[in-house]
Amino acid sequence: MPVPANPFADLTKTLSGFKWPAMDLNAFTEMQRRNFEALTRANQVAVDGFRALIERQAEIAQTSAAEAQSAIRNLAEGGKGPDFEAQLTTARGAMEKATADLRELQDIVARSQTEVFDIINTRMIEAVDEMRQPAAKD
C-alpha cells in the first residue's frame, strides 16, 4: 500500500471543517505570562521552604549533637545514684525535644507545600475563568 504524500491530509481535511473559536493572541500571551509568574512564585516559595528546612535542620543537628555529647559524658561519669535519676530525666527531656524538633521540621515542610499548592491552584482556577470569558463573548 503506498504511503500518502501528506499523512496528515485526512486530519487536515477533518479539522478544516471544525469551527475554531477566535483567539485573542494578546489575552493568550497575558494568560501565559500570569501562569509563568505563578509558577515562578511557587518555585520561590518551595526554594525558600527548603532553605528554611535545611537551616533549621542544621541548627537542630548542632544543638542535638552538643546535648547528646553532654548527656553521654554525664552518664559515663555518673553511674548509679541520685545523679543517675537526674541524668535519666535529662535524657528523657532530650528525646522529647528531639520529637518536638521533628514536628517543627514537619510543619515547615507542610506550610511550604500548602503555600505552593495554593499558588498553583489559585492560578489554575484563574486560568479556567480567563478561558471561559472569551467563550462567553461568542
Side-chain angles (χ1 to χ4, degrees):
M1 175 155 63
V3 177
N6 182 358
F8 298 105
D10 290 339
L11 180 62
T12 303
K13 182 179 177 183
T14 302
L15 292 178
S16 67
F18 186 75
K19 181 182 177 204
W20 294 95
M23 178 182 274
D24 181 351
L25 191 57
N26 289 332
F28 179 76
T29 302
E30 183 63 22
M31 184 174 79
Q32 293 307 315
R33 184 189 62 75
R34 286 190 297 274
N35 290 345
F36 183 75
E37 286 175 353
L39 289 175
T40 301
R41 277 194 323 271
N43 185 50
Q44 187 60 51
V45 167
V47 168
D48 291 346
F50 186 68
R51 183 179 298 123
L53 177 68
I54 296 300
E55 289 171 359
R56 187 62 185 128
Q57 278 181 325
E59 291 169 8
I60 289 171
Q62 288 174 339
T63 302
S64 296
E67 289 173 357
Q69 189 177 29
S70 176
I72 290 169
R73 189 178 322 110
N74 288 339
L75 282 173
E77 294 171 357
K80 296 273 182 197
D83 286 342
F84 187 69
E85 287 298 319
Q87 291 166 358
L88 288 177
T89 300
T90 301
R92 179 182 175 164
M95 286 187 282
E96 289 171 348
K97 183 180 181 317
T99 301
D101 289 342
L102 289 174
R103 282 194 183 110
E104 180 185 353
L105 294 176
Q106 180 183 6
D107 288 344
I108 290 170
V109 170
R111 279 192 307 270
S112 178
Q113 288 175 339
T114 298
E115 193 172 347
V116 167
F117 175 79
D118 287 346
I119 289 168
I120 292 172
N121 186 51
T122 298
R123 182 60 208 138
M124 289 173 58
I125 290 170
E126 291 170 353
V128 168
D129 289 343
E130 289 167 6
M131 291 186 322
R132 187 177 289 143
Q133 289 171 356
K137 292 177 186 176
D138 292 340

